[in-house]
Amino acid sequence: MRIVLVGPPGAGKGTQAVRLAEKLGIPHISTGDLFRANISRQTELGKLAKSYMDAGNLVPDEVTIAMAKDRMEQPDAEKGFLLDGFPRNVSQAEALDQLLRDEEMTLDAVLDLEVPEDEVVKRIAGRRVCREDSSHVFHVDYSKPKQEGVCDVCGGELYQRDDDSEDTVRKRLEVYHTQTEPIIDYYKAQELVVTISSLGPVDEITQRALEALKREKAGK
């Protein structure tokens, strides 16, 4: 299957992308991973992207699209892929459509993870990260440390990252609504959108998504 995963910040896209890709036997293609891989390998696209990033500018769509195209042409993506973080706007969605047409391929589904805005703010603003090891993450409501402000694993100080503050989260949501959300209507016009709730236990959300994708595929 060829799937695009969309949803607001805090919807759990990263977690579900990894799980769904593994269950479906297709590669998870994340924009962040693409950038890191190209920059670390010092590819021409990586050098170009880094030059924009070092100057504090956004990487142009055509560079992101070229990276995605290169990744989708790898042998492990022959049977499909799951795109996470791309396309990020309608112009990228149009470019993806053209890319797929050129390769005589089509998308099977656009999976939209739906979550109330207040829940997004609660999920992200409640995160606390260990200063000693950022992989140790807790939450003031959902995953409390045994001792407030102290990491259970190494005893490091827990803190709220600047980009996890409520004001920053709401600004990120505004960007999502303005730039990314319009691609849902774009894909609805192609009858590709499958919307599921991203509330509940992680396993339940994964199962919900798999069942929705299965129904979508069977209906075609």
Side-chain angles (χ1 to χ4, degrees):
M1 290 189 82
R2 299 181 185 93
I3 304 164
V4 167
L5 185 63
V6 296
K13 291 191 300 298
T15 299
Q16 292 303 325
V18 172
R19 294 167 69 90
L20 291 169
E22 184 178 348
K23 296 276 188 184
L24 295 167
I26 55 178
H28 165 217
I29 301 177
S30 154
T31 307
D33 290 344
L34 284 178
F35 276 79
R36 283 187 287 273
N38 277 273
I39 290 171
S40 68
R41 296 203 314 266
Q42 296 190 326
T43 66
E44 290 306 311
L45 288 170
K47 290 175 185 175
L48 187 57
K50 192 172 186 298
S51 69
Y52 284 100
M53 293 163 72
D54 286 348
N57 298 319
L58 291 174
V59 178
D61 282 354
E62 55 265 30
V63 177
T64 305
I65 292 160
M67 285 186 184
K69 178 178 185 294
D70 178 67
R71 180 64 184 88
M72 287 186 284
E73 289 174 345
Q74 299 303 311
D76 67 337
E78 282 183 8
K79 294 182 180 179
F81 47 75
L82 189 150
L83 293 173
D84 169 19
F86 174 83
R88 196 175 288 273
N89 53 49
V90 172
S91 64
Q92 288 186 2
E94 291 171 341
L96 175 61
D97 278 353
Q98 184 59 56
L99 190 161
L100 292 172
R101 279 195 296 270
D102 291 345
E103 300 295 327
E104 299 183 345
M105 295 187 294
T106 57
L107 280 178
D108 292 295
V110 175
L111 182 62
D112 173 27
L113 300 183
E114 197 171 63
V115 59
E117 193 159 301
D118 286 346
E119 176 63 18
V120 167
V121 174
K122 186 177 179 181
R123 286 181 182 183
I124 299 177
R127 279 197 301 227
R128 298 294 183 268
V129 181
C130 177
R131 287 194 189 277
E132 301 299 322
D133 186 334
S134 61
S135 70
H136 302 159
V137 182
F138 297 83
H139 194 281
V140 295
D141 293 308
Y142 305 131
S143 180
K144 295 181 180 180
K146 293 173 184 174
Q147 182 180 344
E148 186 177 346
V150 179
C151 175
D152 289 355
V153 183
C154 68
E157 178 194 357
L158 298 179
Y159 75 106
Q160 182 187 54
R161 296 183 309 187
D162 290 343
D163 58 353
D164 285 347
S165 71
E166 182 171 341
D167 286 346
T168 304
V169 174
R170 293 199 182 277
K171 286 174 185 172
R172 288 168 61 192
L173 282 167
E174 284 177 22
V175 172
Y176 172 77
H177 293 318
T178 303
Q179 296 184 10
T180 305
E181 203 168 43
I183 73 172
I184 296 173
D185 286 335
Y186 174 82
Y187 283 123
K188 276 183 178 176
Q190 300 178 38
E191 299 183 344
L192 287 170
V193 178
V194 179
T195 302
I196 68 160
S197 169
S198 186
L199 295 176
V202 172
D203 287 344
E204 281 185 21
I205 298 167
T206 303
Q207 193 57 39
R208 199 179 297 154
L210 289 169
E211 289 171 1
L213 291 169
K214 186 178 178 179
R215 288 194 299 270
E216 176 72 6
K217 190 173 183 180
K220 290 187 175 180

